Amino acid sequence: MVPGPRRRCRTSGRRSRMWKVSVLLFLAWVSFLFYAGIALFTSGFLLTRLELPNRSSCQEPPGPGPLSGEHPGKPGACWIAPRFSRVVLVLIDALRFDFAQPQRPPTSVEPPVPFLGKLGSLQRLLETQPYHARLYRSLVDPPTTTMQRLKALTTGSLPTFIDAGSNFASHAIVEDNLIRQLNDAGKRVVFMGDDTWKDLFPGAFSQAFFFSSFNVRDLHTVDHGILEHLYPTMDSSEWDVLIAHFLGVDHCGHKHGPQHPEMAKKLSQMDQVIQGLVERLENDTLLVVAGDHGMTMTGDHGGDSELEVSAALFVYSPTALFTSAPPEEPEVIPQISLVPTLALLLGLPIPFGNIGEVMAELFSGGKDAQPLSSALAQASALLINAQQVSRFLHTYSAATQDLHMTELRQLQHLFSKASADYQRLLKDPLGTEAALKTVTAELQQFLRGARALCLESWARFSLVRMAGGAILLAAACFLCMLASQWATSPAFPFRSLLLVPVAWGLTGAIVSAGLLVATGLKLDLVVLVAVAAMGSLLPSLWKAWTSWGTRKPLTTLFPIPAPILLLLLIRLAAFFSDSFVVAEARATPFLLGSLILLLVVQLHWEGPMLPPKQLTVPRLGSSTLTGPPRHSGTYALGLGVGLLLCTRLAGLFHRCPEETPACHSSPWLSPLASVVGGRAKNLWYGACVGALVALLASVRLWLRHYGNLKSPEPPVLFVRWGLPLMALGTAAYWALASGADEAPPRLRALVSGALAVLPRAVVGLAASGLLLLLWRPVTVLVKAGASAPGTRTVLTPFSGPPTSQADLDYVVPQIYRHMQEEFRGRLERARSQGPLTVAAYHLGSVYSAAMVTALTLLAFPLLLLHAERISLVFLLLFLQSFLLLHLLAAGSPVTTPGPFTVPWRAVSAWALMATQTFYSTGHQPVFPAIHWHAAFVGFPEGHGSSTWLPALLVGANTFASHLLFAVGCPLLLLWPFLCERQGPKKRRHLPGQETETKVRPEEEEEDGEEPLMEMRLRDAPQHFNAALLQLGLKYLFVLGIQILACALAASILRRHLMVWKVFAPKFIFEALGFIVSSVGLLLGIALVMRVDGAVSSWFRQLVLSQQR
């Protein structure tokens, strides 16, 4: 061997690798364009309000002159004299308002509800001490997540929609708040319960007992920990404000739902806690029992449904608070009204940013107070509250100019009038009672108008950013359309469409950053990224447009077939209707079924389905167009019926949106631990394990059918032994998780340890299998031996080893045929003196085998994150995908040796099936439907201070379907070749080979030539890589127009009543789904390229051994 040929061979290999890298980089760049558009649109659509650093203090009263007639030198007086010196605040997480209602008499129509009547102590206090207690319906502002509610309960302000994302990562509150005011006043604040408070108020408590809050499966640890310290602390004198945050009710809702008997037990426990506290209260102490939010009928929260925003609020004191008995129907008050009320009752300044209205009746003075003095005290509290809110509005409007100036001026005029009337009332007591009512009404009108103004203003949008993001998304979609048409062209301008835009983008970002710095403006990372994306996109679009315009008419820019285009337009138009978005779980299977029927009809319409014909290559290097593989009409119809049946069965696992109360969610979505009755639980467990075994057996049978289970390679050995171990670990985890609450006390520590170890072991095995697959992806069995003299030899038009990719591409099909003939026994048995021959088990499925193995390894960890009965959906998912791939392959044309292409109908059907699987696994594009329990799979005790890991687990659970279908997307290209069938055909000799090919005539007549299957992709590697690029661009286009439609719908309907309930969550879920899908697509294509590189190395070594 001389060094020259080796160097040329290495150069050819590097060129091939560079082509693969270019494909991945191009797809990554296109994905980056979509990311930039999403980020820019989001920054204009989901805005956060400005948090002012100002703080209230006793030295700076909110209004001019003496406040409310109070003497400034009175002991304990600040803005107003304190009425209580101590407060016990009991927060019962997710205490829905109807949980505090009494039990109704059961009827034949309405069975008894487990949670009603369990807080009997509240009802007894309301009946026996009506002037001391009051129950309110607390109206919560969405989002109804715990961290946002705690911010509202301490600052009196309103968290914006985007703040919901920080529920995973709570950060210290920088705004003025009650806890800070208590510290400034020297009050001793003791806290016990949810450790979220530790992050929100670091170092703010004189004594604290924090307990981990994230394990929603644990109903008792936090509550028992509080009870251990609650009563001893109450009996001591080392506190002024005691805060206890119980989590058992909320966790019970997440784990079992409100209708479960466990909820009744939890509420009864809370009732005993309230009784114990009432017995220990002193006359100067106020008891407040509050829920931070409610919960849905499934136990979730985060949205704005009536059950989620309705919480209970109960106040009680041993001294009389009210001048009248409670009304028949509890009063509805905003939740943030508690902030100014507690501040003034304790004699503290109201937090600077509060926009809540004080609960005036708590300042009435009790049942013995005179009506005039009671009304004056209430008006005084309202005036102080109004002065504080007026100061905040003035400061905020000067800092941001976000508030509507016309409405702001009207409110200020109303406040000035109310203040003047109050001062006039103090000077002229004539007609005081009627004047007090007028002043009180004016102050309440001002406070409620201010809150409405802030609510409306903090929902304002940056139309420039929203338009820029939508334009960037549309341009990226257009680029995908253009590039997908050019990808199969030999003259595809890779270098100019990749390197030049990157240079332009970097230049644009640098220039923009320089201009911002020069003008003294703040550097905005989102804007810089968007400028870079737009700068990189413009030259590409210009070059593509000019090049295309000189060659082809404009109509060819939209090559999507009319039926598929109509289907996509119907789907995209549905995003502009809140009703269709809510009903998407039912609409998607309908569209998928329509597309399946269209595919079946097209197969019949295109002509009679003849028996399959052998796809041939008359001469290596020449291009022959072959029709799609033909099958019988019964075959195609059977595939269609099977697909429709799988789609219907998967639809049984559905979760109903909140907006459809008549709909009932599937009970099969709940974990087995919530199943009541041992027999039913055992039957369901058997069905889940059966689905797991069926899934594993199906994959193994498929690999064995195509001969990829005979190889001694490490990945194949792992499939034989590692996958059964993963299935065993999953089944064992399900058994322990479903019966963990019933485990004997002496075994609970062991069960808890196993619940942590088993999922991690399964994930570790899956990761090991994937690493082995990446290391040795060629899963074929190779046998070498000596053959008879009559064996066909491999002819090459060169001497020595292959020195270029073209040389290697010339001999690969010959070698593959040669190995298949040896394996089938078509050559004579070896002679010791004969030339070397090689046999392999079905190298034609090497790409698909790697993809199916990788998808199976991914499916097991993702399955662990779901409820046990979702294993049935995963089995349907694999079966449905298998049937769809066969149906698509039956009508997909194959060109040999290229160019290869995947039709639009295949890509559209694949994307629709991903969406359908998202809904069939119990998900909905709303925050209350997130499966938070996934964060504790493998971590039953929680994650400590880590936030990224639980977010990753919940994200993997939510977008499992997006990930699996994106990684498996290359199967759309591979499956038609995999489905190539053997047909009778005489061997065809290449010109010039007649004297070299030595096959007996009788052998030639009897044998049919084995199909090349996926090895046809090796005929033209450039076409293979181009087909992968085109497939990726088409898939990104289909996903991209969905996120574009969601962005446009959110923009156009930004003032719609359902924008924050429907359109905003839909946009967020589509955006996150696109990011997950694009990453999965890149990983799937990279895996195919890794297998292709390994096949090239394998053949190169084979040729070198032959030449020796």
Side-chain angles (χ1 to χ4, degrees):
M1 297 289 179
V2 293
R6 290 185 179 226
R7 189 178 300 112
R8 289 195 299 272
C9 187
R10 288 195 298 268
T11 302
S12 175
R14 283 196 296 269
R15 189 181 300 114
S16 177
R17 286 192 295 271
M18 284 302 298
W19 180 265
K20 293 182 174 64
V21 172
S22 298
V23 169
L24 291 175
L25 288 178
F26 192 86
L27 290 174
W29 171 58
V30 173
S31 300
F32 165 75
L33 297 178
F34 282 105
Y35 299 163
I38 291 171
L40 184 61
F41 182 87
T42 302
S43 67
F45 180 57
L46 302 178
L47 294 177
T48 57
R49 61 179 175 85
L50 177 66
E51 295 183 348
L52 299 177
N54 306 60
R55 296 168 62 176
S56 299
S57 67
C58 291
Q59 292 73 28
E60 297 180 6
L67 294 176
S68 312
E70 295 288 348
H71 194 280
K74 188 174 181 178
C78 183
W79 294 357
I80 193 173
R83 187 167 184 190
F84 295 96
S85 59
R86 287 185 171 188
V87 168
V88 178
L89 175 59
V90 178
L91 273 177
I92 302 178
D93 209 292
L95 182 64
R96 205 167 71 190
F97 174 73
D98 55 352
F99 289 178
Q101 290 184 313
Q103 177 72 57
R104 295 188 300 267
T107 63
S108 58
V109 179
E110 295 183 2
V113 182
F115 57 76
L116 288 180
K118 302 306 175 184
L119 296 179
S121 59
L122 303 185
Q123 191 65 27
R124 285 193 298 271
L125 289 172
L126 290 170
E127 293 174 354
T128 59
Q129 303 183 56
Y131 297 98
H132 297 249
R134 192 72 93 236
L135 177 65
Y136 298 93
R137 182 192 291 267
S138 178
L139 189 63
V140 179
D141 297 297
T144 51
T145 49
T146 296
M147 197 276 285
Q148 284 68 42
R149 293 300 89 227
L150 295 183
K151 291 181 68 174
L153 282 169
T154 54
T155 65
S157 187
L158 302 174
T160 53
F161 185 86
I162 194 62
D163 285 341
S166 58
N167 198 48
F168 267 119
S170 304
H171 303 288
I173 295 177
V174 298
E175 286 184 284
D176 195 11
N177 56 79
L178 269 179
I179 306 299
R180 177 176 291 176
Q181 291 295 338
L182 288 168
N183 285 321
D184 291 345
K187 301 287 186 181
R188 296 164 298 176
V189 183
V190 178
F191 176 83
M192 52 192 70
D194 186 349
D195 63 352
T196 304
W197 291 74
K198 179 181 180 181
D199 298 321
L200 294 176
F201 307 101
F205 304 110
S206 60
Q207 193 175 10
F209 306 95
F210 297 114
F211 304 95
S212 178
S213 61
F214 209 68
N215 188 357
V216 294
R217 292 179 176 272
D218 184 358
L219 308 185
H220 307 294
T221 299
V222 177
D223 293 357
H224 289 172
I226 294 174
L227 293 177
E228 182 181 350
H229 302 282
L230 180 60
Y231 299 130
T233 303
M234 280 282 294
D235 295 335
S236 70
S237 59
E238 299 178 353
W239 62 277
D240 297 306
V241 175
L242 175 59
I243 303 174
H245 189 163
F246 291 89
L247 292 176
V249 172
D250 178 69
H251 288 188
C252 184
H254 285 297
K255 185 176 181 179
H256 301 293
Q259 303 285 349
H260 198 275
E262 282 294 329
M263 182 61 76
K265 296 179 183 179
K266 263 296 156 190
L267 291 174
S268 298
Q269 183 187 32
M270 293 298 100
D271 187 62
Q272 295 175 6
V273 170
I274 295 172
Q275 291 183 39
L277 291 174
V278 169
E279 295 170 358
R280 290 171 170 81
L281 287 180
E282 298 180 359
N283 289 337
D284 64 342
T285 307
L286 176 70
L287 172 65
V288 179
V289 180
D292 57 343
H293 52 74
M295 66 172 66
T296 64
M297 294 305 295
T298 58
D300 300 312
H301 58 89
D304 60 352
S305 67
E306 182 179 355
L307 293 177
E308 292 171 275
V309 300
S310 178
L313 175 61
F314 177 81
V315 293
Y316 170 80
S317 175
T319 58
L321 288 170
F322 308 98
T323 58
S324 61
E328 292 185 6
E329 285 296 325
E331 183 183 353
V332 179
I333 63 167
Q335 187 185 54
I336 57 176
S337 296
L338 186 63
V339 174
T341 304
L342 287 180
L344 294 183
L345 286 175
L346 290 171
L348 302 174
I350 301 175
F352 190 89
N354 166 73
I355 58 171
E357 175 189 345
V358 72
M359 300 161 63
E361 65 176 340
L362 268 74
F363 297 86
S364 60
K367 64 177 180 178
D368 297 330
Q370 296 297 322
L372 184 60
S373 62
S374 175
L376 182 61
Q378 294 182 51
S380 299
L382 286 169
L383 178 64
I384 296 174
N385 188 191
Q387 289 175 336
Q388 169 265 318
V389 171
S390 176
R391 182 180 64 175
F392 166 74
L393 293 178
H394 176 75
T395 307
Y396 190 88
S397 61
T400 64
Q401 290 83 39
D402 279 349
L403 303 178
H404 297 287
M405 297 309 298
T406 303
E407 297 179 16
L408 182 60
R409 282 192 292 268
Q410 293 175 352
L411 285 174
Q412 292 295 359
H413 175 73
L414 178 62
F415 170 71
S416 300
K417 182 179 182 303
S419 299
D421 291 343
Y422 180 83
Q423 296 299 330
R424 191 181 307 111
L425 180 66
L426 293 179
K427 295 178 182 178
D428 184 11
L430 295 178
T432 302
E433 189 171 350
L436 273 175
K437 290 183 179 180
T438 302
V439 170
T440 300
E442 290 174 345
L443 292 172
Q444 289 177 334
Q445 183 182 357
F446 166 76
L447 290 170
R448 293 165 188 175
R451 181 173 179 270
L453 173 64
C454 292
L455 276 172
E456 182 182 1
S457 299
W458 290 338
R460 294 182 68 183
F461 309 98
S462 174
L463 297 182
V464 174
R465 292 196 177 203
M466 292 171 66
I471 291 173
L472 191 52
L473 289 172
C477 290
F478 187 62
L479 177 64
C480 286
M481 180 74 74
L482 283 176
S484 67
Q485 300 309 300
W486 277 19
T488 55
S489 172
F492 184 70
F494 246 124
R495 187 176 300 275
S496 60
L497 280 181
L498 187 60
L499 299 180
V500 174
V502 170
W504 274 81
L506 292 176
T507 303
I510 293 172
V511 171
S512 300
L515 290 175
L516 290 175
V517 172
T519 55
L521 298 177
K522 181 182 178 181
L523 288 176
D524 192 328
L525 180 61
V526 173
V527 174
L528 292 179
V529 169
V531 170
M534 191 65 73
S536 66
L537 186 60
L538 289 177
S540 302
L541 289 178
W542 176 255
K543 184 176 181 61
W545 177 261
T546 54
S547 301
W548 190 279
T550 58
R551 298 178 184 178
K552 296 185 179 181
L554 184 61
T555 53
T556 57
L557 291 177
F558 302 97
I560 305 178
I564 305 302
L565 182 60
L566 178 62
L567 197 69
L568 289 177
L569 290 177
I570 292 174
R571 173 163 168 73
L572 300 181
F575 291 156
F576 290 82
S577 168
D578 60 318
S579 300
F580 276 99
V581 172
V582 170
E584 189 181 18
R586 289 177 291 166
T588 301
F590 173 77
L591 293 176
L592 180 60
S594 302
L595 184 55
I596 291 170
L597 292 177
L598 176 64
L599 293 174
V600 174
V601 170
Q602 280 187 338
L603 287 176
H604 284 274
W605 187 265
E606 289 172 356
M609 295 188 176
L610 302 176
K613 286 189 175 182
Q614 172 68 32
L615 301 181
T616 63
V617 186
R619 180 179 177 84
L620 290 172
S622 66
S623 179
T624 302
L625 223 93
T626 65
R630 299 296 184 180
H631 301 275
S632 67
T634 305
Y635 173 79
L637 187 60
L639 291 176
V641 171
L643 272 169
L644 294 176
L645 180 61
C646 289
T647 303
R648 183 67 186 92
L649 291 176
L652 297 177
F653 295 81
H654 66 282
R655 185 189 185 106
C656 296
E658 303 165 358
E659 295 78 12
T660 55
C663 175
H664 299 284
S665 298
S666 171
W668 304 337
L669 297 175
S670 59
L672 288 181
S674 64
V675 176
V676 180
R679 181 178 177 82
K681 183 182 294 187
N682 292 336
L683 289 175
W684 273 114
Y685 178 76
C688 295
V689 174
L692 198 65
V693 173
L695 176 61
L696 177 61
S698 300
V699 173
R700 287 172 60 96
L701 287 174
W702 185 89
L703 291 172
R704 177 173 297 173
H705 172 73
Y706 284 101
N708 297 104
L709 208 58
K710 302 293 185 180
S711 172
E713 294 292 335
V716 177
L717 296 177
F718 186 87
V719 169
R720 291 180 185 172
W721 304 107
L723 283 182
L725 284 177
M726 293 171 63
L728 182 62
T730 303
Y733 173 77
W734 287 347
L736 294 175
S738 61
D741 295 337
E742 305 167 5
R746 65 179 183 276
L747 296 179
R748 286 182 180 176
L750 180 62
V751 170
S752 179
L755 289 176
V757 171
L758 286 173
R760 300 182 193 183
V762 172
V763 173
L765 285 172
S768 302
L770 290 172
L771 290 176
L772 290 175
L773 187 64
L774 291 174
W775 176 43
R776 302 291 291 273
V778 180
T779 55
V780 295
L781 175 62
V782 180
K783 291 183 179 180
S787 66
T791 301
R792 177 189 300 180
T793 60
V794 177
L795 299 181
T796 61
F798 50 86
S799 59
T803 58
S804 67
Q805 187 68 33
D807 295 344
L808 189 61
D809 298 336
Y810 187 91
V811 300
V812 164
Q814 297 184 64
I815 296 173
Y816 180 58
R817 292 178 188 274
H818 199 50
M819 291 187 296
Q820 288 178 322
E821 291 171 354
E822 176 68 17
F823 172 66
R824 292 292 184 183
R826 293 170 180 154
L827 301 179
E828 296 180 355
R829 289 298 178 183
R831 297 179 186 174
S832 58
Q833 67 273 20
L836 183 67
T837 62
V838 180
Y841 279 89
H842 291 281
L843 191 61
S845 58
V846 64
Y847 297 104
S848 298
M851 290 299 303
V852 171
T853 303
L855 289 172
T856 307
L857 293 173
L858 275 177
F860 271 92
L862 294 176
L863 179 57
L864 270 177
L865 298 176
H866 290 78
E868 296 90 344
R869 287 177 279 191
I870 299 296
S871 59
L872 301 171
V873 179
F874 271 69
L875 178 62
L876 287 173
L877 158 67
F878 271 75
L879 178 60
Q880 194 175 6
S881 303
F882 173 81
L883 294 174
L884 179 63
L885 287 170
H886 273 276
L887 183 62
L888 294 171
S892 297
V894 176
T895 55
T896 54
F900 313 116
T901 185
V902 176
W904 282 102
R905 60 175 178 265
V907 179
S908 302
W910 200 250
L912 275 176
M913 190 177 290
T915 303
Q916 180 240 340
T917 306
F918 171 80
Y919 288 106
S920 296
T921 48
H923 295 98
Q924 285 280 341
V926 289
F927 293 107
I930 294 176
H931 298 176
W932 300 108
H933 65 82
F936 306 100
V937 175
F939 300 89
E941 303 300 326
H943 300 267
S945 59
S946 175
T947 55
W948 66 269
L949 185 55
L952 179 64
L953 293 175
V954 173
N957 169 280
T958 305
F959 300 104
S961 62
H962 297 74
L963 181 62
L964 287 173
F965 277 92
V967 172
C969 193
L971 290 175
L972 296 173
L973 173 64
L974 303 173
W975 214 264
F977 296 92
L978 187 71
C979 293
E980 183 182 343
R981 293 291 189 266
Q982 179 180 359
K985 180 185 178 296
K986 291 187 177 182
R987 299 186 186 276
R988 183 184 296 270
H989 300 290
L990 293 178
Q993 288 187 344
E994 289 82 358
T995 58
E996 294 292 340
T997 306
K998 302 173 182 178
V999 181
R1000 291 198 300 268
E1002 61 271 20
E1003 207 175 24
E1004 186 175 278
E1005 292 176 0
E1006 295 174 358
D1007 288 347
E1009 200 165 280
E1010 191 72 18
L1012 290 178
M1013 296 164 63
E1014 291 175 357
M1015 280 299 101
R1016 292 188 180 280
L1017 296 166
R1018 297 288 313 170
D1019 289 352
Q1022 184 173 354
H1023 288 308
F1024 185 18
N1025 291 321
L1028 289 173
L1029 173 62
Q1030 185 189 55
L1031 173 61
L1033 290 171
K1034 287 182 176 181
Y1035 198 66
L1036 289 177
F1037 172 80
V1038 173
L1039 298 178
I1041 58 173
Q1042 292 180 188
I1043 186 63
L1044 174 61
C1046 289
L1048 292 176
S1051 301
I1052 297 171
L1053 303 172
R1054 61 186 180 276
R1055 296 298 180 188
H1056 192 278
L1057 180 65
M1058 305 294 286
V1059 62
W1060 300 117
K1061 188 175 184 64
V1062 175
F1063 297 110
K1066 178 62 176 174
F1067 167 76
I1068 293 174
F1069 274 79
E1070 283 292 337
L1072 294 175
F1074 178 87
I1075 294 173
V1076 172
S1077 297
S1078 59
V1079 173
L1081 178 67
L1082 290 172
L1083 293 176
I1085 292 177
L1087 175 60
V1088 173
M1089 290 181 172
R1090 171 69 185 100
V1091 177
D1092 186 60
V1095 171
S1096 296
S1097 300
W1098 190 81
F1099 274 120
R1100 188 175 293 110
Q1101 296 297 325
L1102 184 60
V1103 173
L1104 289 175
S1105 64
Q1106 285 273 28
Q1107 294 294 335
R1108 294 193 186 99

